[in-house]
Amino acid sequence: MAEDDEEPPTSKLLSFDTDSSSKSPKPPNLTPKLILIVVTCVAAAIIIAFGFLFFSSSSSSSHQPDVVSRPLKKLKHPVVLLISSDGFRFGYQYKTDTPNMNKLITNGTEAQLGLIPVFPTLTFPNHYAIVTGLYPAYHGIVNNYFLDPDNTTGGEAFNMKSYDPKWWLGEPLWETVVNHGLKASTYFWPGSEVNKGGWTCPQFFCKVYNGSVPFEERVDTVLNYFDLPSDEIPSFMTLYFGEPDHHGHKVGPDDPRITQAVERVDGMIGKLIRGLEERGVFEDVNIIMLGDHGMVGTCDEKLIFLEDLAPWIEIPKDWIQSYSPLLSIRPPPSYSAKDIVTKMNEGLKSGKVQNGQYLKVYLKEELPDRLHYSASGRIPPIIGLIDEAFKVEQKSSKRKECGGSHGYDNAFFSMRSIFIGRGPKFARSRKVPSFENVQIYNLVTTILNIQGASNNGTISFPKTILLPNH
């Protein structure tokens, strides 16, 4: 609370000499010289006041916040460049000097406390949520790996190289864009290799994932798109970097090597900015830089072993679809999922299971509603929520290692990532509250002035982030 301004002391009226011997007061004897002095002082005060107002107004007008979006200077149509830095935990930007990201932040809009991922906070579910505006239960990619619920005994399974469109529900942004007669390009984004709807993953504008491609080559390819004739420049582009996630898993979020990975990503942003400036289009491009999830440190002393539950219930290995950080269990139909959950929680609460208090098991329909993780047959009937930094394994081992992981409850602050928007549709130096990444889809369609598909984002949300049209 600001302190109250101290009131100025009461001004005293100037008294003029009078003839004390006179019985009645006489008016002050204002000589012409005194009148001239008073008038001069008043005039000077007026001039100073007007001067102050004028320069104050001029100064403030030159720094007035953006009211409407800025007109394009060179490009003939709006362009959105969506950049993902995988595993960029919110706060990494403060670990080291990031001048290029800071350039985007200073001249753009930032989620002040980070971007909130969807649950589970894994790479594929979140990247596809960003481009469809749907929670995983609705876009179909409920985990990085999962079994086909129609055949769970050795049947077909989804993995990160599954390109059959039957897995990928919803309408991703590249499909929405081409359905409106515009061009889109993707440089590595989960789901972009899938031929779906009007999107055929055209060779020139769609790159099939290859992690060995240098970051520099990825940036150069995107920059080359801006050398095309105006009507050939894609309206929507994606660019993906696998750092700092790669190092995060190896060494955790607090190792000096993470700082180096962050610096590398910032260097690529600098290369991109310079390339756009050289082409005279930097001010025209709406850049959205974000991450898919955060990262938390894990060590082997923070383990929970399912074999320790044997006195209460046996959990065979072939029931498990994923262990950590999301425990997913699909028992055979002959078993009662409810009974399994009851017995597991009984053992976990007994105090006789190592770290048992850090795992709670649910029927999927009883998970907290805020997770939006029940309305799909692809989600196994039993889900275990693991506390931050803990892991679940089938049985004990003698491994001694530390690293990093993600996939935990998206309420954990460590799972947050970043959001930066910079371009003609984003206000400069603006901070906005955190929001879920399912809102990104509607942001992009609003910038491109196209009608998006039905999604879980809020229709009115873009108005809270974007500048209105000029």
Side-chain angles (χ1 to χ4, degrees):
M1 219 178 137
E3 294 183 5
D4 293 333
D5 292 334
E6 184 179 337
E7 292 187 9
T10 304
S11 300
K12 295 182 179 180
L13 294 176
L14 289 175
S15 59
F16 296 91
D17 290 335
T18 60
D19 185 355
S20 58
S21 63
S22 175
K23 293 184 179 180
S24 61
K26 296 181 181 179
N29 185 21
L30 298 179
T31 65
K33 184 177 180 180
L34 182 59
I35 293 174
L36 179 60
I37 293 174
V38 172
V39 171
T40 302
C41 290
V42 171
I46 293 173
I47 291 171
I48 291 171
F50 272 104
F52 174 81
L53 290 174
F54 174 80
F55 287 109
S56 173
S57 175
S58 299
S59 174
S60 63
S61 64
S62 64
H63 294 88
Q64 281 183 349
D66 297 300
V67 177
V68 295
S69 59
R70 300 177 290 280
L72 301 181
K73 296 180 178 179
K74 186 172 181 179
L75 294 178
K76 302 301 182 184
H77 57 79
V79 171
V80 174
L81 172 54
L82 181 63
I83 305 170
S84 170
S85 180
D86 199 325
F88 200 113
R89 172 175 166 168
F90 179 77
Y92 278 176
Q93 67 270 39
Y94 306 124
K95 281 182 170 290
T96 184
D97 185 24
T98 52
N100 302 297
M101 289 178 57
N102 287 342
K103 186 171 183 177
L104 298 181
I105 293 170
T106 301
N107 294 287
T109 298
E110 179 189 28
Q112 190 166 15
L113 294 178
L115 183 66
I116 302 171
V118 296
F119 179 82
T121 53
L122 298 168
T123 296
F124 268 50
N126 272 275
H127 273 95
Y128 205 54
I130 289 166
V131 294
T132 60
L134 297 171
Y135 293 112
Y138 302 100
H139 68 49
I141 310 304
V142 299
N143 206 320
N144 286 342
Y145 305 92
F146 56 91
L147 293 176
D148 183 343
D150 295 328
N151 191 350
T152 59
T153 55
E156 190 175 3
F158 173 87
N159 60 54
M160 292 189 285
K161 292 185 178 180
S162 297
Y163 299 143
D164 191 324
K166 74 176 184 179
W167 298 108
W168 305 83
L169 310 179
E171 184 178 289
L173 280 165
W174 45 81
E175 183 180 348
T176 301
V177 168
V178 298
N179 285 347
H180 283 79
L182 305 176
K183 286 182 167 49
S185 69
T186 58
Y187 210 124
F188 301 165
W189 199 281
S192 62
E193 305 99 323
V194 178
N195 294 328
K196 186 172 175 298
W199 177 254
T200 58
C201 190
Q203 185 174 1
F204 184 66
F205 285 129
C206 175
K207 306 299 179 182
V208 177
Y209 183 72
N210 178 357
S212 66
V213 177
F215 288 179
E216 291 81 0
E217 183 177 330
R218 305 179 195 190
V219 173
D220 284 335
T221 299
V222 169
L223 288 173
N224 289 339
Y225 291 144
F226 290 96
D227 296 329
L228 296 171
S230 296
D231 58 348
E232 294 293 320
I233 298 174
S235 297
F236 174 70
M237 309 179 191
T238 72
L239 177 59
Y240 170 85
F241 301 121
E243 290 286 11
D245 183 75
H246 177 71
H247 277 88
H249 282 292
K250 283 187 172 184
V251 300
D254 300 315
D255 191 275
R257 283 166 285 186
I258 282 293
T259 302
Q260 295 170 6
V262 170
E263 289 173 344
R264 185 182 179 203
V265 171
D266 187 71
M268 292 303 100
I269 298 301
K271 178 178 174 64
L272 176 71
I273 291 174
R274 289 190 297 273
L276 293 175
E277 288 177 334
E278 290 167 0
R279 290 162 174 80
V281 297
F282 178 53
E283 296 300 328
D284 285 358
V285 180
N286 292 283
I287 297 174
I288 296 176
M289 182 180 180
L290 46 71
D292 52 344
H293 53 71
M295 186 71 66
V296 68
T298 57
C299 276
D300 281 344
E301 66 265 20
K302 293 185 175 182
L303 292 175
I304 304 161
F305 302 111
L306 294 181
E307 67 175 3
D308 291 348
L309 290 171
W312 293 270
I313 184 171
E314 293 276 356
I315 306 293
K317 186 176 181 179
D318 58 5
W319 289 12
I320 310 298
Q321 288 201 11
S322 67
Y323 286 96
S324 291
L326 172 69
L327 178 62
S328 300
I329 303 175
R330 189 183 291 277
S334 57
Y335 286 78
S336 166
K338 185 175 182 180
D339 288 347
I340 294 170
V341 168
T342 299
K343 291 176 181 178
M344 287 185 71
N345 282 328
E346 183 181 341
L348 293 168
K349 294 176 182 178
S350 68
K352 299 178 181 180
V353 174
Q354 178 182 321
N355 295 322
Q357 68 269 33
Y358 301 110
L359 169 64
K360 186 173 182 181
V361 184
Y362 296 82
L363 292 172
K364 69 177 182 181
E365 59 268 22
E366 295 178 354
L367 284 166
D369 291 341
R370 61 182 175 77
L371 298 177
H372 306 280
Y373 200 66
S374 62
S376 172
R378 296 179 180 182
I379 301 172
I382 300 172
I383 299 295
L385 295 186
I386 307 167
D387 272 12
E388 188 176 27
F390 285 82
K391 296 188 294 183
V392 171
E393 293 185 359
Q394 187 70 30
K395 57 184 180 179
S396 60
S397 66
K398 295 182 179 180
R399 288 187 300 107
K400 296 294 180 183
E401 62 183 31
C402 291
S405 192
H406 55 88
Y408 299 94
D409 190 334
N410 63 349
F412 293 139
F413 203 83
S414 61
M415 293 297 102
R416 289 195 186 187
S417 190
I418 57 168
F419 171 87
I420 307 167
R422 200 276 186 196
K425 286 292 290 183
F426 292 98
R428 299 180 179 93
S429 302
R430 185 181 178 195
K431 306 296 182 186
V432 297
S434 298
F435 58 91
E436 283 192 315
N437 62 20
V438 292
Q439 304 287 4
I440 300 293
Y441 180 92
N442 287 339
L443 279 184
V444 174
T445 57
T446 300
I447 294 172
L448 298 180
N449 297 313
I450 58 177
Q451 180 65 46
S454 178
N455 62 81
N456 296 129
T458 308
I459 295 176
S460 61
F461 178 78
K463 293 180 180 179
T464 68
I465 302 291
L466 302 176
L467 295 170
N469 291 330
H470 58 275

